Amino acid sequence: MSPSYNAGFGNEFQSEALPDALPKGRNSPQRCPYDLYAEQLSGSAFTAPRTHNLRTWLYRIRPSVVHTPFVPIPAPNVVRSFSVATDDGECISTPNQLRWSPFEIPTNGKVNFIEGLNTVCGAGDVSSHSGLAVMIYTANADMENTAFYNSDGDFLIVPQEGRLEIQTELGVISAEPKEIVVIPRGIKYSVKLVDGKARGYILETFDRHWELPDLGPIGANGLANPRDFLYPTAAFEDKDGAEYKIITKYQSRFFAVTQNHSPFDVVAWHGNYSPFKYDLRNFNCINTVSFDHPDPSIYTVLTVKSGNPGTALADFVIFPPRWMVAENTFRPPWYHRNCMSEFMGLISGAYDAKAEGFVPGGASLHSMMSAHGPDAVTFERESTKQLGPEKLREDGLAFMFESYLTLSLSKWALDKDTAGGRALQPNYYQCWQPLVKKFNGLDLTKH
């Protein structure tokens, strides 16, 4: 049976898997209905302003505290520190433009969603709640009797291949390519692969939480509309006996505990701190109807704000199918040097600024102030073609993680022989080399 959802970004919801499981008139009565335990999950400080205060009350069969002590477990391809101060550090600094071919999905042995996490780049420090990390996930097995929660930050998950069934404490979320899922800090979940294999992208943010961008002169509607964000409804497991492993990412290290009951035993919940999903096909594009290529900020789906107004810790931006009608205009993105870092991925189809090499399941990184833009083939085509209204790439869906932070690269991402698929393209820079001098101005030195 398909999961059911509540709708509306950031709303207060209440959900019961059994009738009258939620206490009436109070959050923590002396005895909860059905003899459940009350447990509050806080996603913000108690004293955060009401507009940013996040918490959910869970009514569960056992409290989360019933487990064995934490023990460290290996996570070899998840970066622990983004410092590049020492030669033997985990990360490398480079301003080079980088591009990766599709990351290979494992074929030898079983690799589940958590085991298949690989850090590509990042910045900041999880212990001070500052910064972010970009990851790739590749998996070929379900998480069996295993759950995960992230103590360090929120995961924004972008499936590229393979459907996911995500069982969370608050209910079940199904996700397919062209949808995204956000799992906030601290919420436990387990991932099943509906198609037997999966690949995608993750943006982990250590500070604050995702918000809808301000619309300003756009007005009250447009871009990602709040009604299209879907939140799970209560669905619980009452299972005892089997050993369940609970893994947490804590200060970028992995730890595990065991317990003899399912972690998904929440019978009812109410609050505003919950995982959610969004279908990118519902995005309402804003675009020019006159001339010039607008700034890509008009394609922002979600944002994590920084302390500097108008400058994001992270923006999640998409480039979906859309009509292009700009007159006397070079329509692809212009050549650009940016004070922001831009990590891009391709979910399906092709991208309008690259004729080849940037393909679904791959990625690119254009770091702060590193020049980038259309390849030579695209420039020649788009500079000379006859302009008219056109629907841009009806099968194409690209996205960008953008941040004001300077990102450091993991050794895994820069290894040409990495087990992740020998994905790094060492000759990416060559796509711009055929751009030749076209200047036809008068040579004044002859006069």
Side-chain angles (χ1 to χ4, degrees):
M1 186 170 64
S2 299
S4 60
Y5 299 98
N6 296 302
F9 186 85
N11 284 353
E12 285 273 345
F13 296 112
Q14 59 181 21
S15 183
E16 300 173 317
L18 294 177
D20 299 319
L22 283 171
K24 302 293 192 296
R26 66 202 67 229
N27 293 321
S28 185
Q30 187 175 22
R31 286 185 66 180
C32 293
Y34 298 99
D35 282 330
L36 296 170
Y37 289 89
E39 178 178 287
Q40 183 175 206
L41 177 62
S42 295
S44 63
F46 295 142
T47 52
R50 181 179 286 269
T51 54
H52 286 81
N53 205 298
L54 300 169
R55 61 85 184 93
T56 288
W57 281 92
L58 313 173
Y59 300 92
R60 59 194 319 151
I61 297 172
R62 288 183 180 85
S64 294
V65 73
V66 183
H67 60 70
T68 62
F70 287 97
V71 294
I73 62 173
N77 290 327
V78 175
V79 168
R80 292 170 294 174
S81 171
F82 292 105
S83 172
V84 293
T86 60
D87 292 337
D88 59 352
E90 293 180 280
C91 286
I92 297 171
S93 177
T94 175
N96 280 323
Q97 304 96 337
L98 300 171
R99 189 165 71 186
W100 293 266
S101 298
F103 298 89
E104 289 184 358
I105 298 173
T107 55
N108 296 324
K110 290 185 176 182
V111 179
N112 67 33
F113 178 83
I114 297 304
E115 295 166 338
L117 293 176
N118 301 278
T119 303
V120 176
C121 55
D125 175 49
V126 297
S127 63
S128 60
H129 284 189
S130 61
L132 56 81
V134 175
M135 297 182 180
I136 298 293
Y137 72 84
T138 54
N140 63 11
D142 296 340
M143 293 173 62
E144 297 179 355
N145 289 348
T146 301
F148 173 80
Y149 70 95
N150 191 348
S151 300
D152 294 335
D154 296 1
F155 267 6
L156 186 153
I157 302 169
V158 185
Q160 185 275 319
E161 181 175 339
R163 293 170 293 167
L164 307 178
E165 182 181 287
I166 305 174
Q167 185 176 17
T168 81
E169 292 180 272
L170 281 70
V172 178
I173 295 176
S174 65
E176 64 183 24
K178 300 186 179 180
E179 294 181 317
I180 61 169
V181 177
V182 172
I183 311 279
R185 177 187 287 117
I187 292 176
K188 298 172 189 170
Y189 62 97
S190 183
V191 179
K192 293 182 179 179
L193 311 182
V194 178
D195 303 314
K197 62 179 182 178
R199 174 176 57 208
Y201 313 84
I202 294 174
L203 180 55
E204 179 186 21
T205 48
F206 307 145
D207 184 17
R208 307 194 185 190
H209 298 281
W210 291 99
E211 303 177 39
L212 293 176
D214 296 326
L215 294 180
I218 292 174
N221 306 289
L223 308 187
N225 289 310
R227 65 179 296 188
D228 293 322
F229 288 82
L230 302 179
Y231 293 72
T233 56
F236 71 97
E237 285 185 343
D238 183 9
K239 291 184 179 179
D240 296 332
E243 182 175 276
Y244 288 84
K245 180 162 68 173
I246 314 298
I247 300 170
T248 184
K249 180 176 178 290
Y250 179 80
Q251 292 196 3
S252 289
R253 289 166 172 81
F254 279 39
F255 297 83
V257 299
T258 59
Q259 59 188 53
N260 64 359
H261 60 279
S262 171
F264 305 114
D265 63 354
V266 176
V267 179
W269 62 271
H270 75 87
N272 63 350
Y273 191 63
S274 168
F276 60 84
K277 78 168 187 173
Y278 174 73
D279 190 331
L280 301 175
R281 291 162 290 200
N282 289 329
F283 189 78
N284 183 15
C285 280
I286 306 296
N287 207 346
T288 182
V289 292
S290 54
F291 60 88
D292 277 351
H293 184 291
D295 295 333
S297 50
I298 61 170
Y299 303 121
T300 302
V301 180
L302 291 168
T303 187
V304 177
K305 295 179 179 178
S306 73
N308 183 8
T311 303
L313 168 67
D315 281 333
F316 175 64
V317 179
I318 64 170
F319 304 100
R322 59 202 183 275
W323 279 98
M324 305 290 278
V325 299
E327 297 177 304
N328 190 22
T329 293
F330 182 76
R331 290 178 176 175
W334 9 257
Y335 294 103
H336 187 40
R337 291 181 295 159
N338 195 352
C339 64
M340 308 283 277
S341 300
E342 302 178 14
F343 177 93
M344 287 194 64
L346 188 60
I347 299 169
S348 63
Y351 178 56
D352 49 316
K354 296 293 185 292
E356 58 183 17
F358 186 53
V359 296
S364 68
L365 176 64
H366 301 134
S367 294
M368 190 174 294
M369 292 304 174
S370 292
H372 55 281
D375 58 27
V377 173
T378 301
F379 181 84
E380 290 298 325
R381 183 187 68 236
E382 296 294 325
S383 297
T384 57
K385 77 176 187 180
Q386 176 113 15
L387 293 181
E390 62 177 321
K391 185 69 175 288
L392 182 65
R393 301 198 186 283
E394 296 197 50
D395 65 337
L397 182 56
F399 73 87
M400 178 168 64
F401 299 150
E402 186 174 61
S403 174
Y404 77 97
L405 299 175
T406 303
L407 305 181
S408 299
L409 277 295
S410 71
K411 292 179 178 178
W412 177 88
L414 293 176
D415 186 350
K416 299 180 183 63
D417 297 320
T418 176
R422 296 175 177 83
L424 185 65
Q425 298 178 9
N427 298 323
Y428 177 36
Y429 72 97
Q430 292 183 355
C431 76
W432 294 293
Q433 301 312 303
L435 291 166
V436 298
K437 178 179 176 180
K438 294 177 176 288
F439 180 66
N440 62 3
L442 184 66
D443 187 351
L444 298 179
T445 61
K446 296 178 181 179
H447 299 275

